[in-house]
Amino acid sequence: MFAPFAQQGARIMKIAVLGATGATGRHVLTKALGRGWEVRALARDTAADLPEGERLTIVRGDALDADAVGRTVAGTDAVIGLIGARMGRDPALLRPNSTAVLVPAMKAAGVARLVAVTTVGVAATHPHQSWASRALLPLIVGRAHLDQAGQQEDIIGASDLDWVIVRPPRLVDDGMPDAFRLGEALPVAFSATVGRRALAQALLDLASATTPSRQALTILRH
């Protein structure tokens, strides 16, 4: 398990969220607003069913639009990246292409902290996955999705950003407590899960932390 985060203190954070209209993204927005943080969320549809709050600013645009991404991250302390195609849909290189837009946008805006979600099943997690997990995840999730998550990680890793990659297994909404474990070498069974609310909690904790940095961490239910 990873050691407790080194926090930046109680100051109000201002974060950008890409992928805010997804199931996990909505939890991130709700929890961030609950902390009193200011949030800038990129959304293709400004009428999307998102939490309301005076500290929430919706930037209309697409994750592949450099101008929209630049406007979303400008003036923020950290970025949480949740971009990814849903299972069963053509990933169309969305993960690596959007990350290739995000990284220079953050550098241009002078924003260093990036917390990005990929997935268990990328090549780097294979030594820690059970046999069933390694064999079956490509069939269920799709090898293209896993390969493109790996490409996304390569782009982030090659940058000079202050990044943390978070790799969840299957995400669930089950009303369980927001408890989680984070670690670089957690063993991952095929049945492993983590709650979306717990993932959102971890992403916000990491966004406001000074450590860890430049590490890829697996997250599991506690």
Side-chain angles (χ1 to χ4, degrees):
M1 185 181 300
F2 200 83
F5 312 135
Q7 298 291 331
Q8 297 187 36
R11 72 186 180 92
I12 299 298
M13 294 282 292
K14 185 173 184 179
I15 63 169
V17 181
L18 278 68
T21 58
T24 303
R26 288 182 172 87
H27 286 299
V28 169
L29 296 186
T30 298
K31 286 181 173 291
L33 294 172
R35 295 186 183 196
W37 290 8
E38 295 183 35
V39 184
R40 296 180 63 81
L42 180 66
R44 284 177 292 182
D45 180 7
T46 54
D49 183 20
L50 296 175
E52 296 183 358
E54 62 181 16
R55 292 181 177 271
L56 174 63
T57 300
I58 305 298
V59 179
R60 184 167 186 172
D62 188 277
L64 300 176
D65 180 344
D67 178 68
V69 173
R71 286 186 285 112
T72 304
V73 305
T76 61
D77 302 308
V79 176
I80 294 177
L82 292 154
I83 297 297
R86 293 180 176 87
M87 285 195 301
R89 297 187 181 181
D90 182 2
L93 295 174
L94 178 60
R95 283 184 180 273
N97 286 351
S98 62
T99 304
V101 171
L102 173 61
V103 168
M106 289 181 63
K107 292 181 67 175
V111 182
R113 187 66 166 175
L114 170 62
V115 183
V117 176
T118 61
T119 181
V120 162
V122 295
T125 65
H126 290 177
H128 313 297
Q129 292 177 257
S130 68
W131 178 90
S133 178
R134 289 195 307 272
L136 296 177
L137 269 183
L139 301 178
I140 296 172
V141 176
R143 190 170 299 279
H145 285 270
L146 297 178
D147 289 345
Q148 290 173 33
Q151 294 171 34
Q152 176 186 14
E153 292 195 1
D154 290 342
I155 294 169
I156 294 170
S159 76
D160 57 2
L161 296 176
D162 174 23
W163 56 263
V164 180
I165 290 169
V166 180
R167 299 165 172 156
R170 183 168 63 90
L171 295 169
V172 295
D173 284 304
D174 56 8
M176 295 292 287
D178 299 353
F180 58 87
R181 293 178 291 151
L182 276 175
E184 292 185 282
L186 294 180
V188 183
F190 176 65
S191 60
T193 62
V194 69
R196 293 183 187 276
R197 293 192 314 174
L199 175 57
Q201 180 79 26
L203 297 176
L204 293 171
D205 288 349
L206 288 165
S208 61
T210 56
T211 61
S213 179
R214 300 185 67 82
Q215 290 180 270
L217 306 173
T218 296
I219 183 169
L220 300 175
R221 181 191 302 279
H222 193 280

